[in-house]
Amino acid sequence: MSDDSRPTPASARTAAVIPAAGRGVRLGPGAPKALRALSGTPMLIHAVRALAASRAVSLVVVVAPPDGAAEVKSLLDAHALPDRTDFLVVPGGDSRQESVRLGLDALPPEYDIVLVHDAARPLVPVDTVDAVIEAVREGAPAVVPALPLADTVKEVEPAAVPGDPEPVVATPERARLRAVQTPQGFDRATLVRAHETVEDDVTDDAGMVERLGLTVVAVPGHEEAFKVTRPLDLVLAEAVLARRRLNDGF
Ligand code: CTP
Ligand code: MG
């Protein structure tokens, strides 16, 4: 591992921050995305259960829509969740970055490892969560679950008018590219410092740690950790849940 690695003691406690304050514009009109139902249960509850399923996670901080903290609290009360896990709810902000920072601000001091997990990835398997925690424990300051890409990716000069043809600028070698998921795992002090110092807009938390010049490592992600973004993703999520019910039945 790199110079920034330093194993975290086995006693290190792990908390998860779940940003759930987005509207879900790309999913179409309706309730905030995290509160929409999948197989009858709010997406957020699936996501909370997925993280709390890890025995290493002893606190889950949910970052609720700014005007929805009370509703999220009652949802958590109304659904069965593991007794060994503590839960906190805080209101979110205008950007994902701001919501994550508000979640970090609410963390009690005794947590040394922090996972940040999109409420919009409700079906992440617990093995993926545990693999991320393990890599942080082994000394990585930041860890992302990642998958190879199926599609070839092109860099373009974005058109001023959406839908206009866009000149292709480059084709990065696909074998070197990864699509990254969540939960992303961090040494807490590193993530806090990243949020205090990096002001650029980023689309993930590990990107902020990269800006600090630290090494981020990727571990294998999982296809069921996909992000529910557009309407077709709801169809896929329902299909995954139906397959799990079938498998559980046998
Ligand atoms: N998020 C958040 N606060 C925001 C914006 C996003 O906590 N101000 C959260 C979302 O709730 C989601 C995660 O960040 O769990 C990933 O964001 P994304 O999938 O983009 O969700 P939305 O921003 O809700 O969707 P859209 O971009 O389509 O509006
Ligand atoms: Mg968004």
Side-chain angles (χ1 to χ4, degrees):
M1 284 231 177
S2 69
D3 289 335
D4 9 286
S5 316
R6 129 185 89 74
T8 312
S11 60
R13 300 189 68 186
T14 301
V17 172
I18 303 191
R23 294 281 337 156
V25 171
R26 288 169 290 177
L27 205 52
K33 180 161 74 177
L35 304 185
R36 297 197 211 184
L38 279 183
S39 187
T41 303
M43 202 178 310
L44 171 64
I45 297 295
H46 287 281
V48 167
R49 284 180 173 153
L51 273 283
S54 168
R55 305 197 69 86
V57 173
S58 46
L59 170 69
V60 175
V61 179
V62 177
V63 187
D67 55 358
E71 185 179 355
V72 165
K73 276 193 190 113
S74 38
L75 278 179
L76 293 177
D77 289 340
H79 290 85
L81 296 167
D83 286 335
R84 64 167 186 275
T85 318
D86 290 331
F87 297 94
L88 280 176
V89 179
V90 298
D94 288 338
S95 66
R96 182 184 182 283
Q97 221 163 330
E98 196 184 339
S99 294
V100 171
R101 189 182 52 72
L102 291 165
L104 289 177
D105 287 349
L107 279 186
E110 63 267 27
Y111 293 91
D112 305 305
I113 295 176
V114 184
L115 304 180
V116 180
H117 181 64
D118 294 327
R121 298 182 189 272
L123 304 181
V124 62
V126 68
D127 288 352
T128 306
V129 178
D130 285 335
V132 169
I133 296 169
E134 193 48 39
V136 180
R137 283 183 171 162
E138 282 170 8
V143 178
V144 297
L147 288 179
L149 297 182
D151 293 326
T152 294
V153 172
K154 304 273 184 204
E155 182 183 349
V156 299
E157 192 53 54
V161 180
D164 277 3
E166 302 176 311
V168 170
V169 177
T171 305
E173 188 189 339
R174 189 176 66 191
R176 294 181 59 85
L177 298 178
R178 299 287 181 270
V180 308
Q181 305 177 319
T182 72
Q184 299 189 350
F186 304 89
D187 162 61
R188 181 208 183 140
T190 302
L191 183 60
V192 167
R193 185 154 63 89
H195 273 267
E196 281 166 0
T197 53
V198 178
E199 291 184 348
D200 318 346
D201 280 344
V202 292
T203 51
D204 75 336
D205 300 278
M208 305 177 77
V209 173
E210 288 165 54
R211 306 282 165 105
L212 295 181
L214 298 178
T215 303
V216 174
V217 300
V219 298
H222 195 287
E223 59 180 357
E224 292 182 2
F226 67 94
K227 185 152 70 84
V228 174
T229 305
R230 288 172 283 263
L232 191 60
D233 300 320
L234 289 173
V235 178
L236 182 59
E238 294 288 358
V240 169
L241 286 169
R243 185 173 68 180
R244 285 183 186 176
R245 278 195 298 275
L246 206 63
N247 289 341
D248 287 349
F250 292 95

